[in-house]
Amino acid sequence: MKSLYGLPSKVVHCKFCLMSNQKPFSINETKNKKGSYKNGLYINKEGKCAACIYNEKKNININWVAREQKLKVMLDKFRKKNGNYDCIVSGSGGKDSSTIAHILKYKYNMNPLTVTYSPILYTEVGWRNLRNWIRVGGFDNYLFTPNGKISSILAKEAFKNMLHPIQPFKFGIKSFAAKMALKFDIELV
């Protein structure tokens, strides 16, 4: 028996991280269609969710020391000696983008340019995160804010046609970073 949006009607929590099977499982947004159902987070018979299963496997199957050495070799190929930006971190200043930028700059001595494609509407926390990323984190940032009228129309159309109003924003995020890389002569990998 399925509930609204096709999620399981019985709520089950992972015994390890407490996430529930009501958390929609990520899929490519372009596969969402009107009337399509979402799969909830998979939880196995032992009560372990897909995220915990993956976490366990990656910590067993990946040699993290060797992986870091490969990363250092790759970063050395792109590091610029003249003080110019040598990489781009696209993000909002939330935990993912600020962690990546911080590690690149302070652990691996890279000089990242941070870029942000503005959402249609900032939350108070989101705006504070962005400002702190720039002020406290010590990063240069380019913030692009698209035309609000066009953004609203695209979000409405994406919702009507795909049930995914954030789709135009995601396309903006992906294309803005690449455009900025070209502008600052940062090699695309």
Side-chain angles (χ1 to χ4, degrees):
M1 184 173 183
K2 296 283 184 178
S3 65
L4 190 61
Y5 307 115
L7 294 172
S9 58
K10 182 181 178 195
V11 178
V12 178
H13 289 86
C14 174
K15 292 180 181 176
F16 299 88
C17 71
L18 303 180
M19 281 200 294
S20 84
N21 62 345
Q22 299 298 299
K23 180 184 184 306
F25 201 73
S26 294
I27 63 166
N28 185 321
E29 300 90 17
T30 60
K31 294 183 180 180
N32 284 323
K33 303 289 182 221
K34 233 182 203 182
S36 67
Y37 290 106
K38 313 302 175 235
N39 292 322
L41 182 65
Y42 169 75
I43 298 179
N44 69 13
K45 292 175 187 170
E46 290 79 38
K48 189 179 284 190
C49 74
C52 287
I53 293 167
Y54 175 75
N55 186 52
E56 193 173 82
K57 284 181 182 178
K58 76 174 175 72
N59 287 328
I60 292 169
N61 297 334
I62 297 174
N63 179 338
W64 290 105
V65 173
R67 179 73 65 95
E68 184 178 31
Q69 289 308 312
K70 286 182 180 181
L71 174 64
K72 287 178 180 179
V73 168
M74 184 188 73
L75 293 176
D76 284 341
K77 288 195 301 192
F78 297 100
R79 187 173 285 109
K80 295 186 178 171
K81 308 290 186 216
N82 61 3
N84 288 346
Y85 302 117
D86 40 33
C87 62
I88 286 191
V89 177
S90 176
S92 64
K95 64 185 182 304
D96 296 335
S97 53
S98 50
T99 298
I100 290 167
H102 181 85
I103 289 171
L104 285 168
K105 183 172 184 168
Y106 297 106
K107 182 175 182 179
Y108 296 113
N109 297 313
M110 298 294 284
N111 188 19
L113 171 63
T114 65
V115 299
T116 304
Y117 187 90
S118 177
I120 294 173
L121 181 64
Y122 270 102
T123 63
E124 185 180 321
V125 171
W127 183 247
R128 188 172 54 236
N129 284 346
L130 177 65
R131 301 306 308 154
N132 284 336
W133 191 27
I134 299 164
R135 287 190 199 136
V136 179
F139 298 100
D140 293 337
N141 179 274
Y142 272 86
L143 170 63
F144 178 77
T145 305
N147 179 316
K149 288 181 180 181
I150 293 172
S151 293
S152 294
I153 292 168
L154 291 173
K156 181 180 177 181
E157 289 300 315
F159 179 74
K160 286 181 0 186
N161 292 294
M162 301 172 67
L163 292 177
H164 200 283
I166 305 298
Q167 189 67 38
F169 170 70
K170 290 193 172 217
F171 284 134
I173 291 170
K174 292 173 183 176
S175 63
F176 184 57
K179 285 183 181 210
M180 294 304 286
L182 293 171
K183 178 179 175 65
F184 286 96
D185 193 31
I186 298 171
E187 191 171 337
L188 296 172
V189 180

